[in-house]
Amino acid sequence: EPEVTQTPSHQVTQMGQEVILRCVPISNHLYFYWYRQILGQKVEFLVSFYNNEISEKSEIFDDQFSVERPDGSNFTLKIRSTKLEDSAMYFCASSEGGRHNSPLHFGNGTRLTVT
Amino acid sequence: GESVGLHLPTLSVQEGDNSIINCAYSNSASDYFIWYKQESGKGPQFIIDIRSNMDKRQGQRVTVLLNKTVKHLSLQIAATQPGDSAVYFCAENRAAGNKLTFGGGTRVLVKP
């Protein structure tokens, strides 16, 4: 069964550094997402992306965050200057459609640790 | 504020018994609901979904019930197995937009 793959599985970075989290969505999917889960808390929506542009973003997704689909297969999340509170599991997801006929399929996440 | 929430943080169930996981939501605009399973070290795994024009949907060993009157969602797992041990999340999708709002999760522990 096709799956969403994320790299790296664990990223450690120092405060103020830039990080790029990488994702390969399922190949025939057109909608892409990033979610995060701070330890012990709920999974939170960050951003959705379709047709090479952001379709929706949460208040968490401020100017320090950006997303890009640099080629036909990768989808990246960049955090420009990491803060301690950015430490979390970051999940990439994709869906075939953009509404409720198409569930999101998630990758196994990247654990980001900011020291 | 409006949110999706879960009644029980931990559910212990005997292997072979049925499990019922509950979820309350308060956003009347939500029209699509999904149950996810998350095992340790993995991402949320899709289990089953239901649209608001339905009140029941069945999958393999799982059934989702939706009661819009009381804004309640449940996941029933038949003949629970050790592999069902995980955290289960309900998530809602509001009529506008395509982002999911997740509940806090219920941990299911299957006892042999």
Side-chain angles (χ1 to χ4, degrees):
Chain A
E1 185 175 326
E3 56 183 29
V4 176
T5 57
Q6 292 185 242
T7 55
S9 57
H10 192 182
Q11 175 85 51
V12 181
T13 189
Q14 288 190 324
M15 194 167 53
Q17 295 297 303
E18 174 183 288
V19 295
I20 298 176
L21 310 183
R22 303 181 190 279
C23 170
V24 179
I26 294 173
S27 61
N28 65 332
H29 286 188
L30 300 177
Y31 295 79
F32 315 114
Y33 314 84
W34 284 100
Y35 285 74
R36 79 171 185 190
Q37 185 177 30
I38 294 172
L39 186 63
Q41 298 187 22
K42 297 179 184 181
V43 177
E44 303 174 289
F45 170 79
L46 292 178
V47 66
S48 59
F49 190 87
Y50 169 71
N51 199 25
N52 281 320
E53 59 182 26
I54 291 173
S55 47
E56 191 168 0
K57 60 183 181 179
S58 72
E59 57 194 28
I60 303 169
F61 194 89
D62 61 22
D63 292 343
Q64 294 298 313
F65 291 87
S66 62
V67 289
E68 191 178 25
R69 187 156 164 82
D71 53 43
S73 60
N74 291 283
F75 179 53
T76 62
L77 174 69
K78 182 193 291 186
I79 309 176
R80 218 177 320 277
S81 177
T82 50
K83 303 186 285 288
L84 294 176
E85 54 265 37
D86 293 328
S87 295
M89 283 291 291
Y90 287 80
F91 294 107
C92 175
S94 68
S95 65
E96 196 170 352
R99 291 297 310 279
H100 43 63
N101 58 346
S102 185
L104 274 64
H105 294 267
F106 286 82
N108 284 331
T110 293
R111 179 174 299 282
L112 177 65
T113 302
V114 182
T115 61
Chain B
E2 296 184 300
S3 64
V4 175
L6 294 169
H7 296 301
L8 298 174
T10 303
L11 175 67
S12 291
V13 60
Q14 200 71 38
E15 181 178 355
D17 287 352
N18 297 335
S19 304
I20 299 176
I21 308 165
N22 296 301
C23 179
Y25 68 96
S26 56
N27 189 340
S28 57
S30 294
D31 65 348
Y32 179 54
F33 304 87
I34 310 175
W35 281 100
Y36 285 94
K37 171 186 179 183
Q38 188 175 27
E39 296 174 282
S40 180
K42 295 187 177 181
Q45 177 188 355
F46 171 80
I47 301 173
I48 192 168
D49 58 359
I50 188 168
R51 298 187 188 86
S52 59
N53 62 350
M54 305 170 70
D55 53 21
K56 179 179 180 180
R57 190 159 189 230
Q58 290 185 288
Q60 189 177 11
R61 280 202 307 119
V62 294
T63 301
V64 55
L65 299 177
L66 175 63
N67 186 330
K68 294 180 287 293
T69 302
V70 295
K71 297 188 180 67
H72 186 264
L73 189 70
S74 68
L75 178 70
Q76 300 177 4
I77 305 173
T80 313
Q81 301 169 359
D84 294 327
S85 292
V87 177
Y88 290 80
F89 295 93
C90 62
E92 64 175 327
N93 191 352
R94 300 178 184 182
N98 60 356
K99 70 176 188 181
L100 295 179
T101 300
F102 279 79
T106 293
R107 181 174 301 280
V108 172
L109 298 174
V110 181
K111 298 178 289 186

